[in-house]
Amino acid sequence: MSSTKVIHALYNDDDVLMDAVKQTRKAHHHIEEVFTPFPVHGLDKAMGLAPTRLAICAFIYGCIGISVATWMMWNIMINDWPQDIGGKPSFSYLQNMPAFVPVMFEMTVFFAAHLMVITFYMRSRLWPFKKAENPDVRTTDDHFLMEVAVSGNEEEMVSFFKNTGAVEVKVIEKH
């Protein structure tokens, strides 16, 4: 089993963290991950992360929801068990479409919301009973941690991160 070394640079201010991320990218060091106690606006762009494709998934899930709703209403109200409700016969789906719009909307939202939650958990690898992967408990309270792969001179990198404003810099063996 191979092990690699990473540097954990701990910051106590989000603005200092943002500057450090920019300096780290400029110095061509590879940022493995950044742990923050709250979302930091612009951090994803500063880290050079690609835009998320979750919106595409939401659209596809909404299309699945409206398709299921359309099939379900046609099958139940027109094909399988047509009923004369309030003197309005169910001869075709299009004649009854205005009555079906709320159901179509709700099923679209239902499918998109529930499938997005499942997709988010799967993409984030958040399974039930999963052990937390947080390297430092202080990042859930008031500190920010940048994890960077060690490449080249280790002492030089440690001094680089101390100069970026880190309050603590540690070299960790990662298995």
Side-chain angles (χ1 to χ4, degrees):
M1 185 158 120
S2 67
S3 65
T4 57
K5 289 186 177 182
V6 292
I7 291 179
H8 285 178
L10 201 65
Y11 300 89
N12 58 7
D13 187 353
D14 57 333
D15 292 328
V16 176
L17 171 74
M18 283 294 288
D19 291 337
V21 166
K22 291 174 186 173
Q23 290 176 34
T24 304
R25 295 247 316 143
K26 193 173 183 181
H28 303 290
H29 296 301
H30 177 67
I31 301 172
E32 297 283 336
E33 188 65 76
V34 176
F35 298 90
T36 64
F38 55 83
V40 178
H41 180 69
L43 184 60
D44 52 342
K45 285 188 181 182
M47 288 177 63
L49 298 176
T52 181
R53 295 182 300 260
L54 285 176
I56 297 168
C57 291
F59 178 75
I60 292 169
Y61 297 154
C63 289
I64 292 170
I66 200 166
S67 299
V68 167
T70 302
W71 172 83
M72 180 186 73
M73 289 179 300
W74 174 82
N75 193 40
I76 293 170
M77 299 299 292
I78 306 300
N79 185 41
D80 187 38
W81 195 316
Q83 295 181 33
D84 186 358
I85 300 172
K88 299 175 186 172
S90 298
F91 293 125
S92 75
Y93 183 82
L94 291 176
Q95 285 178 331
N96 295 302
M97 177 76 100
F100 295 156
V101 169
V103 176
M104 292 166 49
F105 173 76
E106 292 297 332
M107 289 290 281
T108 302
V109 173
F110 178 85
F111 270 72
H114 285 78
L115 292 175
M116 282 300 297
V117 168
I118 293 168
T119 301
F120 173 76
Y121 283 145
M122 289 176 64
R123 181 70 181 100
S124 301
R125 295 182 182 98
L126 294 173
W127 315 116
F129 311 110
K130 182 181 180 197
K131 187 178 175 188
E133 295 178 4
N134 196 354
D136 193 322
V137 72
R138 292 176 287 181
T139 60
T140 62
D141 188 21
D142 62 350
H143 280 74
F144 306 85
L145 187 137
M146 180 169 38
E147 185 177 275
V148 181
V150 173
S151 59
N153 188 346
E154 186 177 307
E155 291 83 21
E156 188 179 296
M157 288 185 73
V158 168
S159 113
F160 170 80
F161 286 107
K162 285 183 180 173
N163 290 335
T164 62
V167 294
E168 184 180 314
V169 179
K170 292 188 282 189
V171 179
I172 306 287
E173 282 282 337
K174 198 168 184 184
H175 298 282

